């Protein structure tokens, strides 16, 4: 029995080793950003230096360990967060910051790169102090990236919204067409899975749903977020060197809703006549009672 337990533990350990195995190795290269210096204070330690953008292969990457030096030229590449000790909430947030940062369409400026890096640092370590100047050690002019940071955060917040009808059960009568409007105004960012039973058409911020002419089982419909490219999340790690990440959204959740159609219950046309007749009968009975009592 002890041998079996030992083998099971060894097997689990081996599986973990397989899951966290590096895919390949990439050489880090540096792209100097002209006249931009970072001034950073982490845990009481102040650092200032020329800013460089990091590339590994064809991917731009960001530092994810504030205050740690880069002392390696080649990094092992991983396609998940298994080697990084951060909470899922922080991972999810910095994935979105990276996604909507420098590489987002229309954001390819030096200011967007440093704004993205600053937001990532502050999400990982809220106590960090950082600003950007045209000279080392806070000399020269201050570089203001508040506009870029605000734009990224606005996109992150909007990108975190799901369509307003997510997780709802949408009901409709057989053969009827209903219009489903997304009150959160994010439907344009989603692709709708094809329904087996009903007709769904997306027009702007609305779904036009025509229910099956026959009663069918409830059906779950998936809304999958659209991305501006298909690049994966990549994590770069080597020894005690600064860890880096080429960020894409990997922890996102699909939005879903359920469609339910029903048959209308037939109401007899004579129901109103029955009610009238019943009213007359009751009236006659009451009248008869009244006359009888009066005569008596």
């Amino acid at each position: 029995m002890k041998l079996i337990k030992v083998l099971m533990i060894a097997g689990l350990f081996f599986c973990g080793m397989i899951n966290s195995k590096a895919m390949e190795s990439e050489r880090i290269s540096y792209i100097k950003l002209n006249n931009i210096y970072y001034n950073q204070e982490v845990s009481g330690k102040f650092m200032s230096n020329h800013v460089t953008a990091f590339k590994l292969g064809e991917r731009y990457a960001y530092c994810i360990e504030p205050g740690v030096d880069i002392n390696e030229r080649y990094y092992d590449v991983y396609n998940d967060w298994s080697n990084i000790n951060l909470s899922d909430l922080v991972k999810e947030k910095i994935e979105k910051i990276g996604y909507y940062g420098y590489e987002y369409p229309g954001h390819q400026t030096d200011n967007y790169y440093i704004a993205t890096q600053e937001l990532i640092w502050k999400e990982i370590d809220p106590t960090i102090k950082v600003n950007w100047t045209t000279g080392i050690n806070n000399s020269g002019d201050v570089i203001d990236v508040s506009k870029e940071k605000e734009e990224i955060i606005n996109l992150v917040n909007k990108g975190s919204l799901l369509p307003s009808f997510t997780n709802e059960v949408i009901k409709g009568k057989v053969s009827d067409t209903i219009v489903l409007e997304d009150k959160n105004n994010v439907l344009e960012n989603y692709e709708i899975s094809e329904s087996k039973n009903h007709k769904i058409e997306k027009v702007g911020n609305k779904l036009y749903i025509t229910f099956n002419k026959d009663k069918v089982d409830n059906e779950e419909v998936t809304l999958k977020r659209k991305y501006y490219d298909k690049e994966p999340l990549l994590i770069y790690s080597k020894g005690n060197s600064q860890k880096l990440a080429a960020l894409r959204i990997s922890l996102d959740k699909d939005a879903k809703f359920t469609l339910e159609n029903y048959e209308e219950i037939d109401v007899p046309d004579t129901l109103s006549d029955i009610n009238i007749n019943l009213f007359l009968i009751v009236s006659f009975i009451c009248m008869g009672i009244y006359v009888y009592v009066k005569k008596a």
Side-chain angles (χ1 to χ4, degrees), residues 54-56 58-64 77-81 94-95 98-99 103 120 231-236 243-250:
F54 305 110
K55 281 194 84 173
L56 294 98
E58 295 301 313
R59 300 293 303 277
Y60 283 91
Y62 300 96
C63 298
I64 56 173
V77 186
Y78 301 84
N79 62 359
D80 59 35
W81 290 101
I94 65 175
E95 280 186 357
Y99 176 80
E103 293 175 277
I120 291 168
E231 296 290 353
L233 168 79
L234 294 178
I235 305 297
Y236 305 96
K243 293 180 175 61
L244 303 110
L247 293 163
R248 288 297 185 272
I249 298 174
S250 72

Side-chain angles (χ1 to χ4, degrees), residues 2 11 52 58 107 114 119 123 125 138 166 173 201 209 223 237 252 271:
K2 288 183 179 180
T52 58
E58 295 301 313
H107 287 185
I114 61 176
L119 289 171
E123 191 63 35
D125 181 1
N138 281 314
T166 298
K173 192 173 69 174
E201 184 182 6
I209 301 171
L223 302 101
S237 177
D252 213 6
L271 184 58

Side-chain angles (χ1 to χ4, degrees), residues 25-58:
S25 180
E26 285 283 5
R27 187 175 188 270
I28 188 171
S29 60
Y30 304 91
I31 302 169
K32 192 173 183 180
L33 306 187
N34 292 326
N35 301 317
I36 301 180
Y37 290 80
Y38 71 84
N39 306 278
Q40 181 189 86
E41 186 177 329
V42 183
S43 301
K45 178 184 176 183
F46 178 79
M47 292 169 285
S48 181
N49 209 336
H50 212 122
V51 175
T52 58
F54 305 110
K55 281 194 84 173
L56 294 98
E58 295 301 313

Side-chain angles (χ1 to χ4, degrees), residues 22-195:
M23 300 185 301
E24 55 185 307
S25 180
E26 285 283 5
R27 187 175 188 270
I28 188 171
S29 60
Y30 304 91
I31 302 169
K32 192 173 183 180
L33 306 187
N34 292 326
N35 301 317
I36 301 180
Y37 290 80
Y38 71 84
N39 306 278
Q40 181 189 86
E41 186 177 329
V42 183
S43 301
K45 178 184 176 183
F46 178 79
M47 292 169 285
S48 181
N49 209 336
H50 212 122
V51 175
T52 58
F54 305 110
K55 281 194 84 173
L56 294 98
E58 295 301 313
R59 300 293 303 277
Y60 283 91
Y62 300 96
C63 298
I64 56 173
E65 288 186 305
V68 177
D69 292 330
I70 293 176
N71 53 34
E72 293 283 351
R73 295 178 64 190
Y74 287 88
Y75 273 83
D76 294 330
V77 186
Y78 301 84
N79 62 359
D80 59 35
W81 290 101
S82 56
N83 291 329
I84 305 298
N85 185 26
L86 294 172
S87 72
D88 286 345
L89 284 176
V90 170
K91 292 172 186 174
E92 185 176 350
K93 186 69 174 288
I94 65 175
E95 280 186 357
K96 289 177 179 176
I97 292 170
Y99 176 80
Y100 291 110
Y102 172 77
E103 293 175 277
Y104 190 76
H107 287 185
Q108 286 71 50
T109 68
D110 292 349
N111 277 19
Y112 264 112
Y113 185 84
I114 61 176
T116 306
Q117 181 63 82
E118 180 179 337
L119 289 171
I120 291 168
W121 277 335
K122 288 185 174 178
E123 191 63 35
I124 293 170
D125 181 1
T127 67
I128 192 173
K129 296 177 182 177
V130 60
N131 68 300
W132 314 90
T133 53
T134 57
I136 197 167
N137 294 326
N138 281 314
S139 64
D141 297 324
V142 173
I143 300 170
D144 182 13
V145 292
S146 56
K147 182 180 122 183
E148 288 81 3
K149 288 189 293 183
E150 182 180 5
E151 169 70 7
I152 294 168
I153 291 301
N154 286 340
L155 287 168
V156 167
N157 290 338
K158 186 176 180 182
S160 299
L161 285 175
L162 299 174
S164 58
F165 43 79
T166 298
N167 297 327
E168 290 187 7
V169 177
I170 310 301
K171 299 180 181 181
K173 192 173 69 174
V174 292
S175 299
D176 271 7
T177 297
I178 66 168
V179 180
L180 201 58
E181 184 176 4
D182 173 28
K183 305 299 184 184
N184 289 337
N185 295 306
V186 295
L187 189 60
E188 63 181 350
N189 300 327
Y190 288 84
E191 294 175 343
I192 313 299
S193 66
E194 187 173 346
S195 171

Side-chain angles (χ1 to χ4, degrees), residues 236-264:
Y236 305 96
S237 177
K238 192 70 173 182
N240 62 357
S241 187
Q242 165 78 239
K243 293 180 175 61
L244 303 110
L247 293 163
R248 288 297 185 272
I249 298 174
S250 72
L251 300 174
D252 213 6
K253 303 173 185 67
D254 293 335
K256 298 182 180 186
F257 63 92
T258 300
L259 292 178
E260 177 184 337
N261 71 337
Y262 60 89
E263 295 173 325
E264 190 172 44

